[in-house]
Amino acid sequence: CEILVMLVLVIGDFHVPYRASSIPAKFRRLLVPGKIQHVLCTGNLIGRDSLDYLKSLTSDVHVVRGEFDDASWPETKVVTVGQLRIGLTHGHQLLPWGDPASLSELRRRLGVDLLISGHTRRFEAFERDGGFFLNPGSATGAFSPAEAGETPVPSFALLDVQASSVVCYIYRFLDGDVAVERVEFKIPRANSRG
Amino acid sequence: LFWQTRSQDMSGPVTEDQEKLLDEALSVVKLQAFQMKRCLDKAKLMDALKHASNMLGELRTSLLSPKSYYELYMLITDEMRHLELYLLDEFQKGRRVQDLYELVQYAGNIIPRLYLLITVGVVYIKCSEISRKDILKDLVEMCRGVQHPLRGLFLRNYLLQCTKNVLPDCVEEEQEDSGSVSDSIDFVLLNFSEMNKLWVRMQHQGHTRERDRREQERRELKLLVGTNLVRLSQLDTIDVQRYRSVVLPAVLEQVVNCRDALSQDYVMECIIQVFPDEYHLATLQDFLQACAELNPAVPVKNILISLINRLSAFATRDGSNGIPSDIPLFDFFSEQIAKIIENKPDLSPEDLVSLQAALTGLALGVYKDREDYVDKVLETTNSGLDKLGVEHINDHSNLSRELMKLLKLPIDLWNDALVLLRLRHYSPLLQRLDSPTKKSVSAYLLQNMLNNGTLVPSSEQVEQLLDLVRCLVADPGADAAAAAADATATNSLGGDPGDGSANGAGPGSEADNEDLAEEQSLLGRVVHLFSTGPDLLDEQFGVLKTARRILATGGGRRVKYTLPPVVFHSRQDSDDKWRKKCRKIFEFCHSTVCGLAKCELPNLALRLFVDGALVVDKIPFDQHDTRMTCFAAENHEPLRSQTVHAASKLLRKPDQSRAVAACAHLFWSGRPRELQGAEMRDLKKVGECLKRAGRLASQCMDAGLQAQLYTELVNYYLYFVLQSAGQSGSSGAACVRSVWSVSGVV
């Protein structure tokens, strides 16, 4: 039987050109066309160049609207990759920002296994209330007023969606080099749309 | 030899004639060659020689074109190889033929005679019979007997090819009369000058109306002449000294004196390509002197550019020692080029520019830290263009292209925009270009800065940079001076609609807008490079002020890309080392954002204000200022109720409902100062909000939408109930009751 590779790039909060000039060169070298099947972008791209860059990686690019985006992207989106139902939103609409309970509520409302959100610019990956939550952080390490005083770390995530689980690789740009970590989630078999 | 395929510029019957003639000649050759070989097999040398002579007779023709003649020549000389091998064999076996050298001179016509003589002479040399020196001298002199250009050129080529491996290549004669390298040099030089004379003579044969065809034919034969120079370069014993004192002067003399443009053009180029770069360095002045004496029709610029590029490549190649320090290469070429420009009043502007570009390449490659060299070249280019009366440079012209190439060179080779800012003549040259090309080069520079992470560390340099790329910053005519007059006042942003063209809030085409977005985005990204370094926050602030002042002249369409980066960049630096300065920074941001608001970008301004508030929130302030939107104690209450009030005044009912519900969070997780960072958790207020939201929802017309709103409300209630688990009291119970009542409605 054929092994289908389903790699999903989860990335966002570029803030180019407002808060940053570009993603780290080492990230650019890793993200090349032809390797990734889907891109889920949490928003706040701002400039067109970031969108063009994502579109150059693959044709299946999904973007949701961040509070600084002008373009008419939706507030939320649901995408199915393999056995996994994924929800995508920027997160500035959910109050309080980054609050796990609010996120959980949205996940239930959208009826997805995994909810991806951004805005806080801090990387997160956790399990709660029967679902999974992922925040890829900011691709450029853009300054966030909420994190004033902390040095921003550029980051993004890559999902390897397999038959019964999804492996999440987290890439962060620390001290001039790319560091990678790994987290695994098991996809719930039954339709527990809580 | 190789032939370029010639386009059919000959008329039909002539081509057919050529084919027919050639075929006839070739069949004679094949027949005679066959006979010759048969005789050789039977050791009948005299008969073989007779057949060879017949074969060679075909080369006496005047009817064939150079291309056809070449084909014939190739076949015949191939067959002559057999004869040579046979003779060599005989000689080596000791069966010398008596006086063969004299014998062949009795051949009937001069062409066969000379070809045979050359063949036999080489055999004699290879078998060390008679003096090598004498034979070579004899042969090269004898060829003078053929003065017909085409036939003479091929004959002498045969001489050169046959003697390829037997030319003496030693400093002193090894044996008596075996010859030294001086003799070889004399031999080849004589052959070369005779061939050149024949070649030049071709120019003047025949009708003037056939001049183009003749020149084309001459070009096809150029390699025959060039092979002489190649042969010289293959003599190992020729060192720099000998090259400089013997070889080059003789070649240059021949070239200059022949006064023929085609020959000069080719031979000078050939010299550059054939001899090593060290030799060129040692003879630069002689060579350049000769360049100045060439026929005016020769494109000297090409020769010079070729030489400059070669030497640049030589100097910058890995493992090379570079240019010897006693050779002021840059000065030499600089002077030479100046001379050429002076002597050629009809030099076109693009030729001028391409010469300067080559010189720039040299300066950047070989003298990387001599910024003054590059600046000098730019100055010369500028004044040169002035003298030629160049005013407007059309976008698609050759001149535009050449100038763009020139301007990109320093960007590519230095990779440091800051150096460019120091060159006084870069900007004037850039500004000559037409708008699209100018923008293209400016964008190229900015992209280079982003790729290399080139930081701009001072206010002055920011100003210089933005002035350099001013075609991107603002429309021509936007008055930067007026904007500079009051830098902090909000009306310095030229965004007032009354400003006319500078604002450009008009539609523009789709493509225009996309282009603008792209270039402004680039500019915006570069703002993040305006960085003085971590401890110079005063300067940093100055830098950003300058940036804002200049970028503001771009008008409404542009500032939406370029000013927010300024705002964010300044916010980033406000950490807690800086209590006093913070206030100034925030004033700066405040006025910038107000300006943006005026530019019909209210959404953007609103977001930036909100963002600003967040930053302020995180910094401990000693003073509270009512101008700042700070969550100070006295301001809480009114702020929250204002928000709720505003929420309920939103345009559409569903929006009102959702907004008021969202306000519930204000009363829950807001952290007022007096509680020292703890959450408010005012359940009563939360309940009020949600009830109000419920009422608003019930006023909704659309049943489906209503249901959705109620569902969302239930979620809100659940959230707070879960959060308040542990908090006892009537408020909690009231909340739960509200949940049930709402659910009941659903």
Side-chain angles (χ1 to χ4, degrees):
Chain A
C1 71
E2 219 179 86
I3 302 172
L4 275 172
V5 178
M6 288 190 283
L7 281 181
V8 182
L9 174 65
V10 182
I11 195 169
D13 282 313
F14 287 77
H15 288 278
V16 172
Y18 286 175
R19 299 184 204 215
S21 54
S22 53
I23 68 174
K26 292 201 174 171
F27 277 5
R28 263 186 194 271
R29 275 197 279 263
L30 287 172
L31 298 173
V32 290
K35 297 245 181 91
I36 297 164
Q37 281 69 47
H38 312 277
V39 173
L40 297 176
C41 179
T42 53
N44 269 349
L45 288 169
I46 308 187
R48 240 205 109 90
D49 11 353
S50 306
L51 179 64
D52 288 340
Y53 174 67
L54 291 179
K55 283 198 172 154
S56 76
L57 298 177
T58 179
S59 55
D60 192 33
V61 176
H62 302 272
V63 190
V64 286
R65 201 182 76 84
E67 83 271 27
F68 275 96
D69 284 318
D70 272 336
S72 56
W73 289 316
E75 301 279 332
T76 62
K77 219 169 183 191
V78 174
V79 172
T80 308
V81 178
Q83 299 278 7
L84 191 67
R85 273 175 65 87
I86 308 177
L88 184 63
T89 187
H90 179 249
H92 68 276
Q93 314 92 326
L94 294 175
L95 298 169
W97 290 338
D99 181 59
S102 300
L103 289 170
S104 193
E105 188 267 313
L106 180 61
R107 184 192 76 77
R108 283 199 309 275
R109 189 151 33 105
L110 293 176
V112 295
D113 304 306
L114 167 66
L115 179 66
I116 297 174
S117 63
H119 186 62
T120 62
R121 251 138 305 148
R122 192 187 274 148
F123 170 78
E124 308 264 8
F126 60 89
E127 193 175 338
R128 185 193 159 107
D129 295 342
F132 310 114
F133 300 87
L134 180 61
N135 183 335
S138 157
T140 57
F143 164 73
S144 156
E147 321 293 327
E150 293 174 22
T151 331
V153 175
S155 62
F156 65 88
L158 205 56
L159 300 178
D160 182 2
V161 180
Q162 292 157 5
S164 58
S165 66
V166 53
V167 181
C168 174
Y169 296 95
I170 301 121
Y171 292 79
R172 293 154 85 208
F173 189 66
L174 285 166
D175 298 324
D177 246 327
V178 180
V180 189
E181 282 163 47
R182 188 182 184 280
V183 170
E184 186 161 343
F185 300 130
K186 290 247 178 299
I187 304 177
R189 281 275 148 214
N191 271 4
S192 56
R193 304 274 172 246
Chain B
L1 278 181
F2 58 88
W3 293 90
Q4 303 125 316
T5 35
R6 230 180 12 172
S7 57
Q8 294 288 47
D9 55 353
M10 305 207 297
S11 46
V14 183
T15 330
E16 278 171 25
D17 277 348
Q18 280 293 305
E19 271 187 44
K20 196 159 141 257
L21 286 165
L22 182 59
D23 281 340
E24 282 170 8
L26 289 175
S27 36
V28 170
V29 168
K30 283 177 197 153
L31 184 60
Q32 292 298 322
F34 174 72
Q35 300 283 21
M36 175 184 84
K37 281 181 277 203
R38 219 162 64 145
C39 292
L40 289 177
D41 287 340
K42 292 185 196 157
K44 290 185 182 168
L45 182 57
M46 287 300 126
D47 290 339
L49 287 174
K50 188 86 194 15
H51 288 297
S53 187
N54 294 341
M55 185 173 74
L56 289 164
E58 292 304 309
L59 288 173
R60 296 172 56 212
T61 179
S62 306
L63 300 170
L64 289 178
S65 69
K67 194 162 168 229
S68 311
Y69 194 93
Y70 167 72
E71 242 188 275
L72 184 61
Y73 166 88
M74 286 308 283
L75 183 59
I76 292 176
T77 51
D78 242 3
E79 302 295 347
M80 290 300 284
R81 200 78 54 228
H82 289 285
L83 180 60
E84 186 187 337
L85 286 173
Y86 173 85
L87 289 172
L88 273 174
D89 200 42
E90 288 292 296
F91 272 58
Q92 271 152 11
K93 289 188 188 146
R95 292 201 288 267
R96 304 203 296 97
V97 180
Q98 286 292 80
D99 306 318
L100 185 57
Y101 196 72
E102 284 71 24
L103 261 177
V104 296
Q105 295 185 48
Y106 289 109
N109 302 90
I110 188 163
I111 288 281
R113 194 187 324 148
L114 289 176
Y115 272 90
L116 282 172
L117 199 58
I118 292 171
T119 315
V120 170
V122 170
V123 169
Y124 270 50
I125 293 174
K126 285 184 181 171
C127 302
S128 303
E129 296 278 331
I130 315 185
S131 144
R132 176 161 68 162
K133 202 161 77 171
D134 287 341
I135 297 182
L136 290 172
K137 203 144 165 252
D138 209 27
L139 291 174
V140 77
E141 288 286 340
M142 290 253 207
C143 287
R144 276 192 220 258
V146 178
Q147 284 299 313
H148 182 269
L150 187 63
R151 296 196 284 267
L153 281 171
F154 276 99
L155 176 66
R156 285 190 177 275
N157 180 262
Y158 185 68
L159 174 61
L160 211 52
Q161 299 292 17
C162 286
T163 56
K164 184 170 180 174
N165 297 317
V166 299
L167 291 176
D169 195 4
C170 46
V171 181
E172 297 285 329
E173 272 191 334
E174 283 162 5
Q175 305 159 331
E176 200 182 314
D177 285 343
S178 64
S180 70
V181 75
S182 309
D183 300 304
S184 300
I185 294 175
D186 290 341
F187 173 83
V188 178
L189 283 176
L190 183 55
N191 200 44
F192 164 71
S193 40
E194 291 302 308
M195 283 180 87
N196 195 39
K197 285 183 198 151
L198 291 171
W199 197 37
V200 170
R201 198 178 307 154
M202 278 182 86
Q203 183 73 18
H204 309 286
Q205 281 180 316
H207 282 281
T208 33
R209 65 164 176 266
E210 290 189 329
R211 199 185 67 167
D212 284 343
R213 184 162 74 93
R214 274 205 307 280
E215 284 186 358
Q216 182 55 30
E217 288 180 354
R218 280 191 66 195
R219 281 194 201 95
E220 288 169 358
L221 297 169
K222 68 187 182 188
L223 270 169
L224 295 178
V225 177
T227 311
N228 290 287
L229 297 179
V230 174
R231 192 68 72 241
L232 284 170
S233 75
Q234 288 166 339
L235 292 170
D236 294 324
T237 329
I238 298 183
D239 58 359
V240 160
Q241 286 299 91
R242 223 178 274 268
Y243 176 79
R244 182 158 64 185
S245 51
V246 180
V247 174
L248 187 64
V251 174
L252 288 178
E253 196 188 326
Q254 173 58 223
V255 158
V256 170
N257 291 344
C258 78
R259 287 200 263 275
D260 176 73
L262 211 142
S263 164
Q264 287 178 338
D265 190 16
Y266 172 67
V267 174
M268 293 302 268
E269 191 69 55
C270 199
I271 294 173
I272 298 173
Q273 301 303 333
V274 155
F275 292 104
D277 298 313
E278 290 92 345
Y279 288 22
H280 298 313
L281 281 172
T283 54
L284 209 45
Q285 291 206 292
D286 300 327
F287 188 86
L288 293 176
Q289 179 61 32
C291 280
E293 295 170 8
L294 295 177
N295 184 319
V298 176
V300 180
K301 123 179 147 48
N302 292 341
I303 299 173
L304 269 187
I305 291 178
S306 193
L307 185 57
I308 293 176
N309 289 341
R310 235 191 118 96
L311 292 177
S312 287
F314 167 71
T316 52
R317 205 161 29 224
D318 288 335
S320 124
N321 296 330
I323 308 285
S325 50
D326 57 342
I327 300 181
L329 204 62
F330 180 81
D331 293 324
F332 276 172
F333 280 117
S334 210
E335 279 164 30
Q336 203 54 39
I337 290 177
K339 254 194 241 166
I340 290 176
I341 295 173
E342 218 180 285
N343 295 337
K344 271 181 159 277
D346 60 340
L347 185 70
S348 70
E350 52 261 29
D351 282 350
L352 170 75
V353 172
S354 64
L355 271 171
Q356 302 294 357
L359 196 54
T360 310
L362 179 72
L364 289 167
V366 179
Y367 302 98
K368 214 162 181 151
D369 43 349
R370 294 295 299 263
E371 299 166 17
D372 57 325
Y373 277 173
V374 178
D375 208 15
K376 182 146 178 289
V377 177
L378 295 173
E379 187 181 0
T380 322
T381 316
N382 241 332
S383 51
L385 287 174
D386 275 336
K387 270 202 216 118
L388 289 174
V390 171
E391 282 184 20
H392 179 71
I393 302 184
N394 203 319
D395 201 39
H396 299 290
S397 65
N398 287 331
L399 178 56
S400 181
R401 223 184 357 249
E402 290 297 324
L403 194 51
M404 186 163 83
K405 271 197 269 186
L406 172 59
L407 291 169
K408 282 190 178 175
L409 280 173
I411 301 177
D412 285 329
L413 293 174
W414 271 326
N415 275 325
D416 184 357
L418 295 178
V419 183
L420 272 182
L421 296 177
R422 297 200 282 266
L423 300 178
R424 285 184 311 146
H425 297 95
Y426 191 86
S427 185
L429 208 50
L430 174 62
Q431 307 308 336
R432 281 180 187 268
L433 287 167
D434 210 2
S435 184
T437 320
K438 212 175 1 182
K439 286 190 182 176
S440 170
V441 177
S442 302
Y444 193 80
L445 174 63
L446 293 180
Q447 188 63 52
N448 183 282
M449 286 177 73
L450 285 169
N451 292 345
N452 288 297
T454 316
L455 298 177
V456 187
S458 80
S459 215
E460 224 185 298
Q461 283 165 310
V462 166
E463 201 163 341
Q464 284 171 341
L465 176 67
L466 291 176
D467 184 60
L468 185 64
V469 299
R470 71 178 93 113
C471 58
L472 291 178
V473 171
D475 291 323
D479 200 3
D486 48 359
T488 50
T490 55
N491 60 6
S492 69
L493 294 170
D496 293 65
D499 242 356
S501 62
N503 194 3
S509 71
E510 181 72 44
D512 274 346
N513 286 338
E514 265 186 42
D515 284 341
L516 186 74
E518 215 176 298
E519 50 177 70
Q520 295 307 310
S521 194
L522 199 57
L523 200 49
R525 286 163 70 192
V526 168
V527 169
H528 291 281
L529 295 173
F530 297 166
S531 179
T532 56
D535 295 314
L536 300 162
L537 292 170
D538 266 335
E539 274 92 270
Q540 178 66 32
F541 188 51
V543 163
L544 289 172
K545 275 212 291 204
T546 313
R548 182 181 79 155
R549 168 169 56 88
I550 302 178
L551 290 170
T553 61
R557 284 190 306 166
R558 293 191 173 86
V559 295
K560 93 170 187 188
Y561 298 97
T562 54
L563 285 189
V566 175
V567 174
F568 282 115
H569 204 14
S570 55
R571 286 197 184 138
Q572 239 171 307
D573 300 312
S574 36
D575 64 14
D576 44 37
K577 281 191 252 175
W578 261 87
R579 307 282 171 85
K580 279 175 283 174
K581 302 287 181 180
C582 271
R583 193 176 150 171
K584 261 175 68 184
I585 293 181
F586 280 98
E587 281 174 19
F588 170 75
C589 292
H590 188 85
S591 62
T592 316
V593 178
C594 283
L596 279 173
K598 278 198 191 173
C599 283
E600 300 167 23
L601 294 166
N603 272 336
L604 184 55
L606 176 63
R607 293 175 203 151
L608 290 173
F609 271 130
V610 171
D611 204 72
L614 284 171
V615 180
V616 171
D617 191 42
K618 291 291 171 176
I619 299 167
F621 263 86
D622 294 327
Q623 315 151 291
H624 295 155
D625 196 301
T626 47
R627 277 205 326 187
M628 305 280 201
T629 53
C630 216
F631 292 133
E634 339 49 281
N635 291 334
H636 272 172
E637 282 297 325
L639 194 62
R640 286 182 219 281
S641 6
Q642 286 272 0
T643 317
V644 175
H645 191 67
S648 62
K649 288 270 181 283
L650 286 175
L651 209 51
R652 294 164 50 230
K653 278 276 182 274
D655 292 337
Q656 287 176 10
S657 173
R658 286 194 175 114
V660 173
C663 286
H665 280 288
L666 275 179
F667 295 100
W668 187 259
S669 41
R671 294 166 204 248
R673 201 170 302 265
E674 56 274 11
L675 291 183
Q676 265 91 47
E679 290 184 341
M680 272 180 79
R681 300 201 158 205
D682 188 344
L683 205 51
K684 180 159 161 287
K685 278 272 170 39
V686 167
E688 276 175 30
C689 274
L690 292 180
K691 263 211 187 113
R692 195 162 169 185
R695 274 203 301 277
L696 288 166
S698 68
Q699 291 164 13
C700 223
M701 305 297 265
D702 184 334
L705 194 50
Q706 211 182 51
Q708 204 176 336
L709 289 171
Y710 278 132
T711 319
E712 288 171 20
L713 268 179
V714 170
N715 270 321
Y716 268 110
Y717 273 116
L718 278 171
Y719 173 84
F720 286 114
V721 165
L722 287 169
Q723 291 273 307
S724 65
Q727 217 175 332
S728 60
S730 54
S731 329
C735 233
V736 176
R737 273 202 295 279
S738 308
V739 175
W740 289 122
S741 66
V742 171
S743 322
V745 173
V746 177

